[in-house]
Amino acid sequence: MEQLPSSFLSRMEQMLQEEYPAFYKSYEAPRKFGLRVNTNKISVEKFLEISPFSLTPIPWVSNGFFYGEEERPSRHPYYAAGLYYLQEPSAMTPAERLEITPGEYVLDLCAAPGGKATALGAKLQGKGFLVANDISNSRAKALLRNLELFGIRNSMVTNETPGRLAGYFPEFFDKILVDAPCSGEGMFRKDPDVAKTWDETRPEFFGKIQKDIIANAISMLKPGGRLLYSTCTFSPVENEGLISYVLEHFPEMKLLDIAPYEGFAPGYPSLGNNDERLAKCVRIFPHRMDGEGHFLALMEKEGTLTPSSDRPRTKLDKISQKLLEDFFQNVSAPYDFQKMEVRGSNVYYLPDKDTCSLKGIKFLRNGLFLGELKKNRFEPSQPFAMALSGEDYAHVINLSSSDERIARYLKGETLLLSEAETPAQNGWQLVCTDGFPLGWGKAVGSTLKNKYPSGWRQMG
């Protein structure tokens, strides 16, 4: 065990008292590894039928599983097919405990790298609108990639400060997740480098940032909407202290009970303003559960939730419409041409949302990038492939996950097809593994030209 900061340990001993020895000893135990099934692409039951891994259910997450450190799910073709996300088990809890109904407008305010945003997007099942925001442009790019890998087609990835974002979306969202930047004390076991950079000033530093974030998040929440605040730290000022601030300054917000689990610990009113409602918060400690440290608080805004019903309508020019109609003759999944928009030569499928103005907002992607219009043809995109199922396209090259050509395809190599695999006609093929899309290829006789994008390719 790495040496932990003495002032941190003193505070934890005072907080936990008789539980402190068990907490301290938990740092000698190995960290746990988690996998969350992408229910946007596959049911948990079906995944367990085909899973090549030895999995144990995470009891407080309906689609979460522990896997052994010796296994390498990130190297399996199913990872490239977006069938699961690798995530620390406790970190799965916030998105699990924020109830989402398909069709709602949802915001993940501090979303990168996408663990919680992909979970929220999967819950929407392609209906409604997900805004996933991160203030860091480089981290927002990683967020976009993960949403694309998961096949989330109804999202907008923004790169704004919470204050600027609030100007665009006043009382707009049904549900908001704020997984706030924090001092990271709950991750000391998972990442010892966090402990090395920690000092006593960090909780106060992040506490000020969190107050600004939560105030802007509340302003974007509809009356009757729900907000889940979470951190991966034990620090009182960032947890009960922050929620005390909300209760004192935003009387329209009330704390709700969180669906229980036997390992959850209640919040400590004495670590905040002594408001007994703080006991509704949840703390996750590594000596009580098989995960790292986390804090959660679920709140609801006073009022009655009203559904959003407006939908975008666009009109394509005749040439674009014809090229898209030609390609979509081979697509059986329902796509509405009145939700397609051409920007330059790129075609996007817009998510369901009302008509609020987004002029001037910084974003990386609004909707699903379908592909590019070129002279006399439409070329489909990688995100479009990931948003399809193996049954959604008429021309499929389906390779077993054990086929050595899968690794070569993911590296960008040209593939040779057997006589039985050679399609009856040349052209675009949806390349799948065990029926799950990986990307596109273009058949020329028995040769499959690789269209897997360079930025997605696996090296080595």
Side-chain angles (χ1 to χ4, degrees):
M1 180 177 65
E2 295 282 339
Q3 183 64 41
L4 296 173
S6 59
S7 56
F8 162 74
L9 292 176
S10 296
R11 192 216 311 139
M12 294 307 299
E13 184 173 15
Q14 186 177 5
M15 180 193 301
L16 291 169
Q17 298 182 23
E18 68 272 8
E19 290 188 50
Y20 176 74
F23 170 80
Y24 186 79
K25 189 172 178 58
S26 72
Y27 282 85
E28 298 175 1
R31 59 169 288 200
K32 295 288 185 177
F33 295 84
L35 173 157
R36 194 189 73 248
V37 178
N38 180 6
T39 53
N40 189 51
K41 288 178 178 276
I42 188 172
S43 69
V44 171
E45 294 74 21
K46 178 63 177 176
F47 180 75
L48 291 176
E49 289 176 10
I50 67 171
S51 169
F53 315 118
S54 177
L55 302 176
T56 304
I58 297 173
W60 65 92
V61 180
S62 59
N63 57 336
F65 296 88
F66 298 109
Y67 68 89
E69 184 177 5
E70 69 284 355
E71 302 199 68
R72 293 290 181 268
S74 64
R75 304 301 298 173
H76 195 277
Y78 290 164
Y79 181 80
L83 298 193
Y84 48 81
Y85 190 95
L86 303 181
Q87 190 173 26
E88 193 280 313
S90 292
M92 298 182 191
T93 315
E96 173 75 7
R97 288 304 190 268
L98 183 60
E99 203 171 282
I100 302 294
T101 301
E104 290 184 323
Y105 291 2
V106 180
L107 169 65
D108 187 349
L109 186 52
C110 312
K116 297 170 179 70
T118 51
L120 299 173
K123 285 185 174 187
L124 285 172
Q125 294 292 300
K127 299 174 183 177
F129 184 36
L130 171 68
V131 174
N133 178 74
D134 203 272
I135 193 171
S136 163
N137 183 265
S138 60
R139 284 170 54 82
K141 289 176 181 176
L143 165 64
L144 173 60
R145 164 72 182 274
N146 281 321
L147 287 167
E148 290 175 339
L149 186 64
F150 249 51
I152 308 298
R153 69 183 193 179
N154 55 325
S155 67
M156 181 179 192
V157 177
T158 55
N159 175 213
E160 287 285 8
T161 64
R164 272 187 52 83
L165 202 67
Y168 287 97
F169 296 109
E171 294 196 333
F172 183 86
F173 295 100
D174 302 281
K175 304 287 169 59
I176 297 179
L177 178 64
V178 177
D179 186 49
C182 68
S183 56
E185 295 170 0
M187 295 294 117
F188 285 176
R189 181 172 64 175
K190 176 187 172 185
D191 187 356
D193 287 340
V194 177
K196 293 176 183 176
T197 60
W198 182 91
D199 64 53
E200 295 178 63
T201 66
R202 289 177 71 80
E204 290 288 347
F205 170 79
F206 283 104
K208 293 177 182 177
I209 295 172
Q210 291 153 3
K211 285 180 180 178
D212 176 71
I213 291 172
I214 200 74
N216 283 297
I218 290 170
S219 76
M220 289 186 274
L221 187 66
K222 286 182 184 177
R226 293 188 174 185
L227 184 155
L228 193 141
Y229 172 85
S230 65
T231 70
C232 59
T233 193
F234 300 118
S235 158
V237 71
E238 301 173 75
N239 295 329
E240 289 91 350
L242 187 282
I243 302 305
S244 296
Y245 168 80
V246 172
L247 296 176
E248 290 169 1
H249 291 81
F250 300 91
E252 69 273 25
M253 300 298 292
K254 66 176 182 179
L255 270 171
L256 302 179
D257 291 312
I258 293 175
Y261 169 66
E262 62 184 1
F264 289 166
Y268 293 70
S270 61
L271 297 182
N273 63 356
N274 289 306
D275 188 323
E276 290 304 316
R277 291 175 291 176
L278 293 171
K280 292 178 182 285
C281 301
V282 163
R283 278 184 172 271
I284 296 177
F285 292 110
H287 65 287
R288 282 176 168 244
M289 294 170 58
D290 287 328
E292 306 306 319
H294 243 76
F295 174 89
L296 295 84
L298 180 63
M299 293 169 278
E300 185 174 273
K301 195 173 194 178
E302 186 179 74
T304 302
L305 193 63
T306 56
S308 303
S309 57
D310 292 335
R311 299 292 181 262
R313 287 293 178 263
T314 60
K315 188 171 179 60
L316 298 168
D317 64 82
K318 290 183 179 179
I319 296 175
S320 299
Q321 177 106 9
K322 178 65 169 60
L323 293 176
L324 287 164
E325 285 177 348
D326 288 346
F327 184 88
F328 273 79
Q329 287 179 356
N330 294 310
V331 179
S332 58
Y335 278 85
D336 183 352
F337 285 95
Q338 289 188 317
K339 291 175 64 178
M340 293 183 187
E341 180 177 85
V342 179
R343 303 174 206 149
S345 60
N346 292 338
V347 185
Y348 299 88
Y349 194 71
L350 299 180
D352 294 340
K353 71 171 184 66
D354 72 9
T355 54
C356 66
S357 174
L358 298 177
K359 185 177 181 181
I361 196 170
K362 289 194 293 184
F363 67 93
L364 279 69
R365 182 67 46 79
N366 181 23
L368 173 66
F369 175 40
L370 291 174
E372 189 174 359
L373 292 169
K374 297 193 173 180
K375 188 177 181 180
N376 300 323
R377 69 186 191 278
F378 169 72
E379 294 198 352
S381 73
Q382 177 66 20
F384 183 25
M386 302 309 294
L388 295 169
S389 75
E391 295 81 38
D392 287 341
Y393 191 69
H395 308 298
V396 170
I397 300 294
N398 188 32
L399 304 177
S400 166
S401 57
S402 60
D403 192 318
E404 56 87 20
R405 290 175 295 176
I406 291 287
R408 290 168 47 208
Y409 173 77
L410 296 174
K411 292 177 183 177
E413 298 178 14
T414 297
L415 303 184
L416 293 178
L417 305 174
S418 69
E419 184 176 345
E421 294 167 333
T422 301
Q425 63 184 63
N426 293 336
W428 289 101
Q429 306 290 319
L430 185 62
V431 181
C432 297
T433 179
D434 296 341
F436 299 100
L438 292 170
W440 298 102
K442 212 165 186 181
V444 181
S446 61
T447 299
L448 186 71
K449 293 186 176 180
N450 199 313
K451 296 297 181 178
Y452 199 66
S454 59
W456 287 55
R457 291 175 189 169
Q458 295 182 359
M459 300 296 119

